Amino acid sequence: MTRGFSLEKDLRLLINNPKYSDIEILCDNEKKFYGSRAILAARSEVFDRLLYNGMKESYENKISFPTINSCGMEIILEYIYTGSIKNESLTKDNIIEAFYAADYFQLPDLQDFIVKNFKNTLKKNNNGNYSPELLSKFAGKMPLTEDNILLNLLIEEIATILLNDIEIGRLSITALQYFLFCTYEKEIPFATPEYEVFRYSAILAAKQISDDTYKALMKQLPTLEQIDNLIQVENKLIVNHQKVAEELEPLIEYIDFRRIKRGQIDFIEPLKVIPAEIIQHNSELIDSDLNNIRGIPIYRFKESELFWDRLGSGSKAIIENNGKVVYAPNDLNSWRIVRAKMLLENNGIYEWDIIIEKTCFWSWVGVCASKNFDYENPAGRQSSGWVLGTNGYCRNYDYETYYCPSFHEDGARITVHLDMNKRTCSFTVNGTKYPKVSAWNNLPSKLYPIVSIKYPGQYRIQPHQKK
């Protein structure tokens, strides 16, 4: 390669190159890197103080960082030498180490880059959500402070996931404790009912003791869905209930028992894994008007709650599969509106998925007001309809704007995120989340999910699962 044409490419040749090195850098796992004193000192005040302080490091050809992992040091050297980081250099395996190293060497621009990279990863979300693992790594590596941007992003992201969808072991006890602390009595979107918060905490505590204790507690603490289905559980003490209580103690302070209903407490109390005085103290507040979800509730619908409404549909549309699927017959050549049955009117954030099993020209997904809506005409041309089309445009009456790339393929998945607190709406299309539609900032207080359909369109409605 000819040198002199690209400063970045030329400097990249110096990274960890013993030929141009005058110092060896040792990390916590004894992995050795090579560096140039002058470049390191010029780019980081921490390196400058260490390498030119007149102390022994100024004269020796080695310097050790017992708290810096080699994965983090690789990112530091790439940034110091080139002033940038390739997106592919950051992975779920090194992002926490890199962020810690950037903090250690006082490189705020690198920290900002790491945060931006993580935000972009969350938007795409193509490889699954690994925020729980990252929070656990963070809790074991860095101080947990409320002013840390990356830490706050992790907390906010995990809050939107049902804890039941996070396998035991992905969140450490320390990470869970800080997560519950940060979300306790805070107005941030939150997905998990408080009973399930307790259940997850207790099961995680039991897992720390033994697999047998974990399995025993799993049998004694049913999920809310099992409770709703009137499952019968034999209330009895588990063998290691005192040890579970000890493991659970740091988490109890950040569980709001006022939000747990009396019928749910009846499954908790016999286990004797929480102090009796906590139940007694909260007994007068149990079954209060408090929502069963802390913060701003995110409502995740059950399968039994989502289906198309035959009475709220335009002519000729056919609803099948127990109300889950609607399709257009071959003589339906103009758009008709099909409405889902659930009315969205309480504060909180509602999310559901629409699968376009067969697309038409074009398909539209969104919401409509409960009044003054015509199911025989396109939703986007009405003042009480707000929809996103497969052409990538959002429409409402006389307003149309580009929102995202088009998605005409069969099998496209659209998630609707309806924030009834702020009266706004946003969409996720095939795993990529897009921001709220800027012009839709004062939606009505009562709305229904809808789709526009004509031949050969076929749409399925289902709960949104975020993992």
Side-chain angles (χ1 to χ4, degrees), residues 385-431:
W386 297 264
V387 287
L388 168 67
T390 51
N391 61 350
Y393 281 77
C394 286
R395 292 200 64 173
N396 165 244
Y397 193 40
D398 59 353
Y399 172 83
E400 182 178 50
T401 186
Y402 175 78
Y403 183 72
C404 66
S406 61
F407 50 100
H408 290 289
E409 69 278 7
D410 290 350
R413 180 189 301 267
I414 300 92
T415 304
V416 185
H417 309 273
L418 180 65
D419 188 335
M420 292 298 280
N421 287 28
K422 298 178 181 178
R423 305 285 178 82
T424 59
C425 188
S426 62
F427 299 90
T428 294
V429 179
N430 293 328

Side-chain angles (χ1 to χ4, degrees), residues 180-368:
L180 297 181
F181 162 74
C182 287
T183 57
Y184 190 77
E185 295 187 346
K186 303 288 178 62
E187 287 299 308
I188 66 172
F190 200 86
T192 307
E194 202 68 15
Y195 170 82
E196 299 285 12
V197 170
F198 169 80
R199 180 177 181 273
Y200 187 88
S201 301
I203 291 171
L204 180 58
K207 186 69 172 178
Q208 311 307 306
I209 298 167
S210 69
D211 285 341
D212 288 341
T213 306
Y214 162 74
K215 292 175 183 177
L217 196 60
M218 285 279 287
K219 292 180 180 179
Q220 294 298 109
L221 273 179
T223 64
L224 282 180
E225 185 175 1
Q226 290 171 328
I227 292 175
D228 290 343
N229 292 332
L230 302 177
I231 186 174
Q232 297 297 315
V233 173
E234 182 183 356
N235 297 127
K236 61 181 181 181
L237 286 175
I238 57 175
V239 175
N240 291 318
H241 71 276
Q242 291 180 329
K243 291 183 178 180
V244 174
E246 292 173 5
E247 291 286 345
L248 193 54
E249 185 177 1
L251 305 176
I252 289 296
E253 181 181 354
Y254 307 113
I255 298 175
D256 192 347
F257 288 90
R258 301 171 301 168
R259 300 180 185 274
I260 301 177
K261 303 302 180 185
R262 168 53 62 186
Q264 299 160 5
I265 288 289
D266 290 342
F267 288 94
I268 298 173
E269 196 168 10
L271 300 176
K272 296 191 181 302
V273 295
I274 60 173
E277 55 267 25
I278 290 181
I279 300 292
Q280 185 177 0
H281 175 72
N282 288 281
S283 60
E284 294 181 2
L285 298 172
I286 290 172
D287 290 325
S288 68
D289 292 333
L290 283 175
N291 199 299
N292 70 332
I293 301 177
R294 62 177 66 190
I296 301 172
I298 299 177
Y299 293 95
R300 297 280 164 75
F301 295 99
K302 301 174 184 176
E303 284 285 352
S304 59
E305 296 174 319
L306 288 175
F307 49 91
W308 300 114
D309 187 358
R310 298 181 188 278
L311 298 178
S313 301
S315 58
K316 296 187 178 181
I318 299 174
I319 298 173
E320 291 187 343
N321 196 5
N322 296 320
K324 302 298 182 184
V325 175
V326 60
Y327 71 91
N330 56 14
D331 61 342
L332 181 49
N333 296 314
S334 58
W335 277 298
R336 296 291 187 268
I337 308 304
V338 181
R339 188 185 79 183
K341 195 153 189 178
M342 68 277 197
L343 173 62
L344 312 174
E345 60 178 338
N346 295 320
N347 290 339
I349 297 173
Y350 297 86
E351 297 180 330
W352 63 94
D353 285 352
I354 301 294
I355 310 298
I356 303 179
E357 296 182 338
K358 293 182 181 178
T359 190
C360 56
F361 185 82
W362 291 304
S363 301
W364 298 88
V365 174
V367 294
C368 74

Side-chain angles (χ1 to χ4, degrees), residues 2 15 19 24 46 77 104 106 108 131 135 139 147 177 246 261 289 308 324 348 355 398 400 419-420 447 455:
T2 303
I15 299 175
K19 179 179 179 179
E24 295 178 358
V46 174
L77 293 177
Y104 182 95
Q106 298 177 18
S131 298
L135 181 60
D147 60 349
Q177 180 185 15
E246 292 173 5
K261 303 302 180 185
D289 292 333
W308 300 114
K324 302 298 182 184
I355 310 298
D398 59 353
E400 182 178 50
D419 188 335
M420 292 298 280
L447 293 166
Y455 184 77

Side-chain angles (χ1 to χ4, degrees), residues 150-202:
L150 180 58
L151 181 58
N152 289 334
L153 274 176
L154 292 171
I155 295 294
E156 291 170 6
E157 182 62 20
I158 296 170
T160 67
I161 307 172
L162 288 168
L163 284 177
N164 281 349
D165 289 338
I166 302 176
E167 295 86 351
I168 295 297
R170 294 178 64 194
L171 265 180
S172 67
I173 284 279
T174 303
L176 179 61
Q177 180 185 15
Y178 190 73
F179 169 70
L180 297 181
F181 162 74
C182 287
T183 57
Y184 190 77
E185 295 187 346
K186 303 288 178 62
E187 287 299 308
I188 66 172
F190 200 86
T192 307
E194 202 68 15
Y195 170 82
E196 299 285 12
V197 170
F198 169 80
R199 180 177 181 273
Y200 187 88
S201 301

Side-chain angles (χ1 to χ4, degrees), residues 11 24-25 61 89 100 140 152 168 222 250 260 263 320 328 348 374 380 398 426 434 452:
L11 289 175
E24 295 178 358
I25 304 169
N61 63 354
S89 295
Y100 171 78
N152 289 334
I168 295 297
I260 301 177
E320 291 187 343
D374 183 359
D398 59 353
S426 62
Y434 297 94
S452 290

